[in-house]
């Protein structure tokens, strides 16, 4: 019995493997109504599906006016997921905001400054389509109102792949 328990303890990390990849380079988003994209290059993830796939996308964005931002995730195969578009009104910031289908509040029902977990506007599970996750993932942000001088900076973002994927 002790041998079986010991084996299960050794095997348990492999059964619920979570892999996190992060980009901590600041990226300024200028108000020119064009998307600015930051990239993460995961390795060792392999093929993703609903069994082991993308569970969450987290970010910190400093912004003068969240309601002017459009935020997209672009997977290596070109699948585009709308995370948030024009939410938050004139309030500021996404403070370690995570998008996951496991959240209880939709981003459209939240209020800035956004922090915690939110359901994105698009279906995050669409990227778990048996594509190879080992490639460039992009977080793309646009300041929709190019006529004013707002300040928008992506401070960091990360991808979490796990067995809790939608």
């Amino acid at each position: 019995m002790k041998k079986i328990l010991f084996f299960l303890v050794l095997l348990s990390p492999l059964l619920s493997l979570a892999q996190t990849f992060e980009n901590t380079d600041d990226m300024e988003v200028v108000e020119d109504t064009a998307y600015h994209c930051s990239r993460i290059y995961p390795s060792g993830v392999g093929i993703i599906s609903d069994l082991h796939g993308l569970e969450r996308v987290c970010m910190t964005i400093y912004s003068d006016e969240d309601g002017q931002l459009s935020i997209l995730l672009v997977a290596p195969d070109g699948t585009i997921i709308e995370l948030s578009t024009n939410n938050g009104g004139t309030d500021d910031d996404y403070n370690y905001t995570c998008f996951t289908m496991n959240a209880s509040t939709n981003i459209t029902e939240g209020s800035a400054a956004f922090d915690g977990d939110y359901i994105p506007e698009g279906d995050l599970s669409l990227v778990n389509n048996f594509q190879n996750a080992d490639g460039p993932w992009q977080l793309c942000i646009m300041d929709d109102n190019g006529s004013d001088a707002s300040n928008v900076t992506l401070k960091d973002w990360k991808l979490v792949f796990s067995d809790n994927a939608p």
Side-chain angles (χ1 to χ4, degrees), residues 89-133:
T90 59
D91 292 326
D92 303 346
D93 302 335
Y94 286 77
N95 295 321
Y96 196 74
T97 305
C98 293
F99 292 96
T100 175
M101 300 308 289
N102 299 322
S104 57
T105 304
N106 194 300
I107 191 66
T108 60
E109 298 167 1
S111 59
F114 297 104
D115 60 1
D117 291 351
Y118 293 91
I119 300 168
E121 289 191 56
D123 185 350
L124 201 58
S125 69
L126 294 177
V127 299
N128 295 326
N129 58 7
F130 297 96
Q131 69 174 294
N132 188 342

Side-chain angles (χ1 to χ4, degrees), residues 43-112:
S43 63
V45 177
I47 303 301
I48 55 175
S49 68
D50 59 344
L51 298 177
H52 182 82
L54 183 66
E55 177 194 351
R56 64 182 48 235
V57 180
C58 301
M59 67 199 65
T60 298
I61 301 172
Y62 297 149
S63 167
D64 288 346
E65 194 169 334
D66 289 354
Q68 294 182 5
L69 300 182
S70 294
I71 306 168
L72 304 174
L73 177 70
V74 182
D77 72 349
T79 301
I80 298 172
I81 305 298
E82 179 184 14
L83 298 177
S84 180
T85 300
N86 304 120
N87 295 302
T90 59
D91 292 326
D92 303 346
D93 302 335
Y94 286 77
N95 295 321
Y96 196 74
T97 305
C98 293
F99 292 96
T100 175
M101 300 308 289
N102 299 322
S104 57
T105 304
N106 194 300
I107 191 66
T108 60
E109 298 167 1
S111 59

